[in-house]
Amino acid sequence: MERPAWAPRSIDISVPSISRICDYYLGGSHNFEVDREAARKAMEFLPGLPKIMQANRAFMRRAVRHAVDEGVTQFLDIGSGIPTFGNVHEVAQRAHPGARVVYVDHDPVAVAHSHAVLDGNEDADVVAADLRKPHDILGSPQVERLIDLNRPVALLLVAILHFVEDTDDPYRAVAELRDALAPGSMLILTHASYEGIPLPAERAEGAVDVYKDIRNPLIMRSREEIARFFEGYDMVEPGLVPMPRWRPDTAPEDEDPYAFSGFAGVGRTA
């Protein structure tokens, strides 16, 4: 397999990557055949996966605009993935020139491509780090340069927590990040769930098994379990809902049924 120029020498291009699989779902070009093969296998069981990822991105853009409208102009996007059109910095800086954004991902391709996209943008940067180690993120030079932790920050955890197993205590990591942020900060979150998928759960489990096979388990949590991530936050209306129902720009009834898979919500600290 030939290594393209954008692929860091340090990565094993024979092993599928969550970031690159997501890039494939979104129609991107920063993925390999091994990623496309895993994605196609998952789509055999859950053909609406691209629609689910598109709904995630659409919710993210609406939530970022809401944050700016509420006066929050600092964004920490953890598990940001490979940049696509309409990424956080584009939405935030269009709504508020000078808005500051730090992306965080542990996938070298996502980090390398983010560096390329952000070249020349003094108000945005990327950190190679893992959600499970909040201290590494908060203490990074990029966060120290761009994010004033004494002012409200919008923390984005979009389509990332369902890749963190319970044994890694994702609730602890989210609580640590919450406690490090100033009052008035926001949590913008989406999470996969069997609830809302327009298929029997047994069939959707086939897609979950594909992720398990590539050693990136997909943890499908209940609405109640997802709501626990918002402890310490006041939920913003309409609460924790399917993605198309969170402050939609268009009638939710016009959305693809798969877009209603999983939940999205925004919370704000007092």
Side-chain angles (χ1 to χ4, degrees), residues 202-265:
E202 311 82 68
R203 181 168 175 80
E205 282 175 7
V208 172
D209 288 341
V210 171
Y211 282 92
K212 191 183 300 181
D213 289 344
I214 64 171
R215 298 183 182 179
N216 282 283
L218 178 58
I219 313 301
M220 305 290 265
R221 296 187 171 97
S222 68
R223 185 182 184 281
E224 182 179 349
E225 289 170 322
I226 297 166
R228 281 183 54 202
F229 288 114
F230 286 95
E231 287 182 4
Y233 290 90
D234 296 324
M235 293 300 295
V236 172
E237 290 294 332
L240 188 61
V241 295
M243 291 172 286
R245 298 199 182 281
W246 198 91
R247 305 194 175 207
D249 294 327
T250 57
E253 294 73 24
D254 296 337
E255 291 284 349
D256 186 284
Y258 278 100
F260 294 84
S261 306
F263 293 97

